[in-house]
Amino acid sequence: LVKMFGFLKDLDKSKGEEYDKVLARIAKYEDITDNMEIEIARYLTHISESEISTQGSERISSMLRIIDNLESIGDSIYQLSLMKQNQQDNKVVLDNQLTAKLSTMYDMVEKSLNIMNSNLHSEYSKIDIDTAENMEHEINHYRDTLRNEHLEAIKSGYYNYEIGTAYSGIYALYEKTADFVINVSEAINKD
């Protein structure tokens, strides 16, 4: 998913045929996350039908929450790519200031994805939930800042409705993506 998220930056740098290839790659990865969720959930459900310990049952529940949120991250990344495509199709251009703010939000979510990835590869008892939660708080705070600035910009007429909708839609979906990311670390931590 970290790699899939990185494709969003590739979209910003691409044009024409290369842009279409990156969009197709994101769609392909999203299909893969959908299929993985189904296959893993089937397998875990099958295992849970057997005689298992309470701890085993709790671990399976945790894994089901993890895969559900991982698939939701893939969906969010795909939705972000569609928003960017819609923005391009409608020739909605964000100024450098708005682009820089979205880039900051992107970097924060990317960092949270890397923390999540590290937690997924750690032993359950050794995950870094504090760093994950701190990053989530930073993202929420930054989203709140952007939202307040956005409302003021709309009131003052700093930018038009189309720009405002594209901008606020993207930062809101970045924050929603980060919610799924923290849910993964929290599901690991509950085990």
Side-chain angles (χ1 to χ4, degrees):
L1 290 171
V2 174
K3 185 175 184 177
M4 184 182 179
F5 191 72
F7 293 153
L8 293 172
K9 267 224 163 127
D10 296 342
L11 274 181
D12 294 337
K13 301 176 201 169
S14 304
K15 289 186 176 156
E17 191 176 309
E18 184 59 33
Y19 184 88
D20 293 339
K21 285 181 184 178
V22 175
L23 274 175
R25 196 172 300 140
I26 292 171
K28 179 182 174 186
Y29 272 62
E30 200 277 330
D31 283 342
I32 291 169
T33 63
D34 287 347
N35 291 331
M36 285 178 58
E37 179 193 28
I38 291 166
E39 292 302 317
I40 294 170
R42 265 192 208 137
Y43 177 73
L44 292 173
T45 302
H46 177 71
I47 290 174
S48 69
E49 292 169 354
S50 310
E51 290 286 324
I52 56 173
S53 67
T54 302
Q55 182 183 12
S57 179
E58 289 171 359
R59 184 155 291 184
I60 287 172
S61 292
S62 172
M63 288 179 194
L64 287 168
R65 283 191 309 276
I66 290 167
I67 62 165
D68 178 56
N69 281 285
L70 291 174
E71 191 275 332
S72 294
I73 293 167
D75 284 347
S76 292
I77 295 168
Y78 179 66
Q79 290 302 315
L80 281 159
S81 74
L82 295 179
M83 291 175 92
K84 288 176 178 267
Q85 181 182 18
N86 187 48
Q87 180 184 340
Q88 185 179 42
D89 290 349
N90 292 313
K91 297 179 177 34
V92 176
V93 179
L94 305 182
D95 67 20
N96 290 340
Q97 185 180 17
L98 297 179
T99 301
K101 289 176 182 184
L102 290 178
S103 182
T104 298
M105 180 67 106
Y106 172 93
D107 292 343
M108 294 170 85
V109 176
E110 183 179 49
K111 185 175 179 183
S112 72
L113 277 164
N114 285 319
I115 294 165
M116 176 201 77
N117 206 33
S118 176
N119 284 337
L120 282 169
H121 290 91
S122 297
E123 291 181 37
Y124 274 50
S125 61
K126 296 183 180 177
I127 73 157
D128 188 356
I129 193 66
D130 292 337
T131 302
E133 288 175 341
N134 288 339
M135 195 69 237
E136 170 65 5
H137 293 302
E138 285 182 41
I139 291 168
N140 287 342
H141 178 72
Y142 192 63
R143 183 265 332 262
D144 292 345
T145 300
L146 295 183
R147 186 181 343 173
N148 291 335
E149 290 174 355
H150 168 67
L151 294 173
E152 288 302 315
I154 290 291
K155 285 181 195 173
S156 69
Y158 178 73
Y159 44 70
N160 66 29
Y161 177 78
E162 289 80 11
I163 289 172
T165 300
Y167 173 64
S168 64
I170 291 172
Y171 73 67
L173 195 48
Y174 276 148
E175 190 277 331
K176 184 177 180 182
T177 305
D179 286 343
F180 296 128
V181 171
I182 190 61
N183 290 347
V184 171
S185 289
E186 288 175 347
I188 298 167
N189 193 48
K190 288 194 186 324
D191 188 39

